[in-house]
Amino acid sequence: MGVLSASPSNMDHCIEECLKCARACEECLTACLQEPDVQSRIRCIQHLNDCAEICFLSASYMARNSANVQALCALCASICEACATECGQFKDDHCQECARICRSCAEACRQMAS
């Protein structure tokens, strides 16, 4: 159930997954910027930024029960999968964990989009 009961309870899991994913992407982005091979991570960093933003936006749309939730969640799932693929190419723990979280979020968003 939503904090103020504004969002339908079936959205709660997806909202939580989106917020967790956005946070993971922000943290991973910061960690990637500290890596010695930061130049080889530019594409990953761009994906992380896109993913964090679409996840925050999707959570907001769900919280207000927007009529556009299905379309936005479908896009969010696609962006999360792309981010997971990109992050998964790097073997450090923060990228591997972020990729796992992105995949989980993508699955939750796919369920909301259907």
Side-chain angles (χ1 to χ4, degrees), residues 31-103:
C32 282
L33 289 172
Q34 303 304 314
E35 294 291 344
D37 63 341
V38 68
Q39 285 300 324
S40 68
R41 295 171 184 257
I42 298 300
R43 185 172 161 90
C44 184
I45 290 167
Q46 291 169 333
H47 278 276
L48 288 163
N49 190 44
D50 287 351
C51 191
E53 289 192 19
I54 195 71
C55 285
F56 279 130
L57 187 62
S58 295
S60 295
Y61 273 52
M62 285 183 279
R64 66 176 173 262
N65 198 19
S66 169
N68 297 298
V69 164
Q70 285 185 313
L72 191 60
C73 283
L75 178 60
C76 188
S78 176
I79 290 172
C80 286
E81 282 294 342
C83 189
T85 298
E86 193 66 34
C87 265
Q89 295 179 19
F90 296 95
K91 300 306 175 202
D92 43 71
D93 290 343
H94 62 86
C95 280
Q96 290 298 308
E97 181 63 9
C98 187
R100 185 192 67 75
I101 292 168
C102 285
R103 284 186 199 97

